[in-house]
Amino acid sequence: MRVMSTTDTIKLFKNVVDNPLARWVLRRISSYCYTCSENRLEVALQLYIGVRKDACLKCRAAEKIVSRVVKSGANAFGASEEQMKSKFSDAYWRRGLVNVIKGISHFGVHRPFIPGAPFQIVWNVTKLCNLRCKHCYENAGRPAPDELTTEEALMGIERLSKAGVVSIAFSGGEPTVRPDILKLIKYASNKGIYVAIATNALVFASRDRVKEFKEAGLNFVQISLDGLNPATHDEFRGVPGAFEKTIQGIKNCVAEGMFTEVACVGTHFNYKEIPAIVDLCDELGVDWFMLYNFIPTGRGRDIVAADLTPDEREHLLRTLWLKRKTTKKVEILSTAPQYARVAKEVEKELAEKMQGSNGTAPLECDGVVIPTHFYNPKLQGELSKLADFIGGCGAGRFYVSVEPNGDIYPCVFFPHVDEVKIGNLIRDDFEQLWVKSNLLHKTREKDLIGGGCKGCEYLYICGGCRARAYNYFGDILAPDPGCKANLAYWQGITEAIKVREA
């Protein structure tokens, strides 16, 4: 009897619940239960695997429905019930699965997939920062006068937990300098949320501080590194000595067993150094390297000419995809949606080359889809092979951002204007916004995108970056000018820059 994989489990629920009657039933049993203080579907799974003994009558009834579905599905896929229970025993995995099922109940099996709540919230908890980065999307420096109080932030975490959010990534500004950040991390962790932080790691140059954050419940740390040496990194970050502290922070996080990701924004300042930065991360024992797209928002609007050309981005993504085959530990990811398309094309080329050299059939490469920055290590693995569940840019679909005052946007790289504001975490009903927002509908419907994206065979696993489209053209449905399919749009941008600088 074979072991049931994550992919099999997701397919099971897709097959069983993607019909009107089943979706109606799921909407009834996937709501929040105020008696049991959790999502009713999650309570049902807890009862099923035996990690929970007591529950209200409605949750017990939900458990009977869930157990029947799981048992019949296990038989269909050749897995034992014990194997299923083992899979459901991971709390984060279970929370993610509940989110998937809830999404099917609301949206069906949409292409690409829409979960029942964001898998990740990127929460800029403050504008306060101890660096002055050239590309800062938040234009950070001093704290904003309307930042949420501790009590309001805790209320926001409570609402996100009830909605079924799997992960919160605290960002900024610099989140580690917010005085109550440890309290926020601990509260979110106690709610069963996977907690991450995006930091410049200056605070983490002290190993004792890393231990404090880990003990509070921090699971994942993303550390920004924009150069291979102080000359590049410090000049880009605006403060001398930042490089040495950042490297020490990386070492301390790795030494403490924290899941550590290094993030780097690809620009003309550093893109030739990036392959060597990956090698450095591999030597340091980093888990993930994340290449971020440059997006002309915040202070980034002052350095638009630093953006990579489509050809440069294409070359860099291909280089990184091939490089991941030789690294010892570090996994190489990117927020550039084109990375999935590049991966599939490179794998196809390699398969054809292998076929030509030994006469064997081409390797199967249809499942090559790369998760972007909404992902977390508890949800990686076989789920990443399902293109319908990934689908390129996740803005407004797999994640949204929250500003220091509680305002919600599709992602952190959108400017703070009403046209692209979804609502407010404190003043509005978050779950209703997620299901009914017209703006979110636009970010999710890739068939509405224009330019070279329209009709592209990779539309559903890429679709371009919606933040780049909006910041360059003022239209969330415009094409992403960073792709080779939209070269004419990029040429128009470069001509406009030349005219402006003349």
Side-chain angles (χ1 to χ4, degrees):
M1 183 176 290
R2 68 184 177 87
V3 176
M4 187 166 186
S5 67
T6 304
T7 302
D8 288 340
T9 310
I10 300 298
K11 285 181 178 179
L12 157 65
F13 282 99
K14 284 176 64 179
N15 293 337
V16 172
V17 305
D18 193 26
N19 64 75
L21 177 59
R23 287 172 58 188
W24 179 84
V25 172
L26 282 178
R27 279 194 295 273
R28 297 294 298 271
I29 68 171
S30 62
S31 58
Y32 188 83
C33 177
Y34 287 89
T35 302
C36 298
S37 301
E38 282 190 89
N39 180 285
R40 201 179 301 282
L41 193 54
E42 189 159 355
V43 174
L45 286 169
Q46 291 171 353
L47 289 170
Y48 173 64
I49 65 175
V51 298
R52 186 178 189 129
K53 302 300 180 184
D54 298 321
C56 69
L57 290 176
K58 288 185 178 179
C59 285
R60 288 190 176 278
E63 188 272 335
K64 294 184 183 299
I65 296 172
V66 168
S67 64
R68 288 176 185 173
V69 171
V70 172
K71 288 175 183 176
S72 63
N75 290 333
F77 282 97
S80 69
E81 191 173 359
E82 289 306 310
Q83 287 171 334
M84 294 292 288
K85 288 183 177 181
S86 175
K87 181 66 71 174
F88 294 140
S89 65
D90 185 295
Y92 296 120
W93 195 96
R94 191 169 60 242
R95 191 177 182 92
L97 180 60
V98 168
N99 202 354
V100 168
I101 297 169
K102 187 178 177 183
I104 294 173
S105 76
H106 281 299
F107 307 108
V109 183
H110 188 273
R111 189 182 185 201
F113 187 73
I114 307 169
F119 267 82
Q120 184 178 82
I121 298 290
V122 182
W123 190 338
N124 300 322
V125 289
T126 183
K127 282 183 177 283
L128 178 63
C129 191
N130 46 15
L131 293 182
R132 186 74 180 173
C133 305
K134 289 183 176 181
H135 64 318
C136 180
Y137 60 76
E138 194 70 358
N139 201 8
R142 296 179 179 180
D146 59 349
E147 293 183 3
L148 299 181
T149 64
T150 300
E151 291 70 26
E152 289 172 327
L154 294 176
M155 182 194 307
I157 293 171
E158 177 74 21
R159 291 183 176 183
L160 296 176
S161 175
K162 286 182 178 178
V165 168
V166 180
S167 172
I168 293 178
F170 292 113
S171 187
E174 175 50 44
T176 61
V177 298
R178 177 165 165 142
D180 60 358
I181 187 63
L182 291 175
K183 187 173 184 178
L184 301 186
I185 289 171
K186 186 173 183 179
Y187 190 75
S189 179
N190 288 340
K191 289 291 179 182
I193 293 172
Y194 188 88
V195 184
I197 201 165
T199 175
N200 56 38
L202 299 195
V203 168
F204 289 164
S206 163
R207 189 162 173 179
D208 287 340
R209 292 289 281 153
V210 176
K211 291 177 180 178
E212 275 189 88
F213 277 78
K214 184 178 179 181
E215 289 169 3
L218 184 65
N219 303 102
F220 181 112
V221 59
Q222 179 191 87
I223 298 173
S224 298
L225 181 66
D226 285 307
L228 187 62
N229 52 62
T232 306
H233 181 82
D234 292 358
E235 201 278 333
F236 202 62
R237 293 273 159 180
V239 175
F243 178 82
E244 298 299 336
K245 288 186 176 181
T246 295
I247 293 296
Q248 187 59 52
I250 294 170
K251 291 178 179 178
N252 288 342
C253 289
V254 171
E256 285 299 319
M258 193 81 73
F259 195 100
T260 306
E261 173 186 286
V262 165
C264 180
V265 179
T267 67
H268 281 137
F269 295 105
N270 66 354
Y271 82 102
K272 292 182 180 179
E273 297 179 15
I274 288 174
I277 295 174
V278 174
D279 290 335
L280 174 62
C281 291
D282 209 26
E283 292 171 12
L284 294 175
V286 169
D287 295 284
W288 283 0
F289 173 85
M290 180 69 74
L291 174 68
Y292 269 80
N293 251 337
F294 169 78
I295 298 174
T297 192
R299 280 200 291 273
R301 295 187 67 84
D302 298 329
I303 55 168
V304 177
D307 198 0
L308 301 179
T309 69
D311 287 342
E312 289 168 340
R313 180 173 287 100
E314 188 82 4
H315 175 73
L316 181 57
L317 292 176
R318 290 177 69 90
T319 299
L320 293 181
W321 178 256
L322 290 169
K323 194 169 188 61
R324 67 188 290 277
K325 297 176 182 294
T326 60
T327 53
K328 294 177 291 186
K329 179 181 181 182
V330 69
E331 177 64 88
I332 304 170
L333 308 173
S334 178
T335 66
Q338 295 84 9
Y339 195 37
R341 187 258 305 157
V342 168
K344 291 173 77 75
E345 289 180 344
V346 171
E347 290 303 306
K348 184 178 179 180
E349 291 167 9
L350 292 174
E352 289 173 347
K353 186 180 294 185
M354 180 179 291
Q355 181 188 30
S357 64
N358 60 22
T360 60
L363 297 173
E364 174 61 49
C365 58
D366 287 343
V368 179
V369 179
I370 306 306
T372 51
H373 59 308
F374 70 83
Y375 236 42
N376 72 58
K378 282 291 183 180
L379 298 173
Q380 67 174 332
E382 296 202 30
L383 181 59
S384 67
K385 297 176 183 176
L386 290 175
D388 287 347
F389 282 77
I390 305 299
C393 178
R397 185 172 56 85
F398 267 96
Y399 53 84
V400 295
S401 69
V402 176
E403 282 300 296
N405 66 354
D407 284 346
I408 307 167
Y409 293 87
C411 88
V412 295
F413 297 110
F414 278 85
H416 304 151
V417 295
D418 287 343
E419 184 181 15
V420 288
K421 186 170 80 173
I422 300 164
N424 185 276
L425 181 60
I426 303 303
R427 295 191 297 269
D428 299 316
D429 185 323
F430 181 80
E431 293 188 71
Q432 287 299 304
L433 291 174
W434 182 254
V435 174
K436 296 184 178 181
S437 167
N438 289 329
L439 176 62
L440 291 181
H441 174 74
K442 287 183 179 180
T443 67
R444 296 163 179 172
E445 295 298 330
K446 295 190 183 295
D447 288 318
L448 300 176
I449 301 170
C453 298
K454 200 170 192 67
C456 176
E457 64 176 301
Y458 300 106
L459 176 65
Y460 297 115
I461 64 166
C462 175
C465 171
R466 296 301 89 218
R468 284 175 57 82
Y470 187 84
N471 280 286
Y472 272 116
F473 302 116
D475 181 358
I476 203 168
L477 297 175
D480 178 352
C483 179
K484 63 181 183 179
N486 293 310
L487 191 57
Y489 290 87
W490 176 255
Q491 291 169 343
I493 290 169
T494 55
E495 288 301 318
I497 292 174
K498 289 178 183 177
V499 170
R500 188 163 60 239
E501 294 178 347

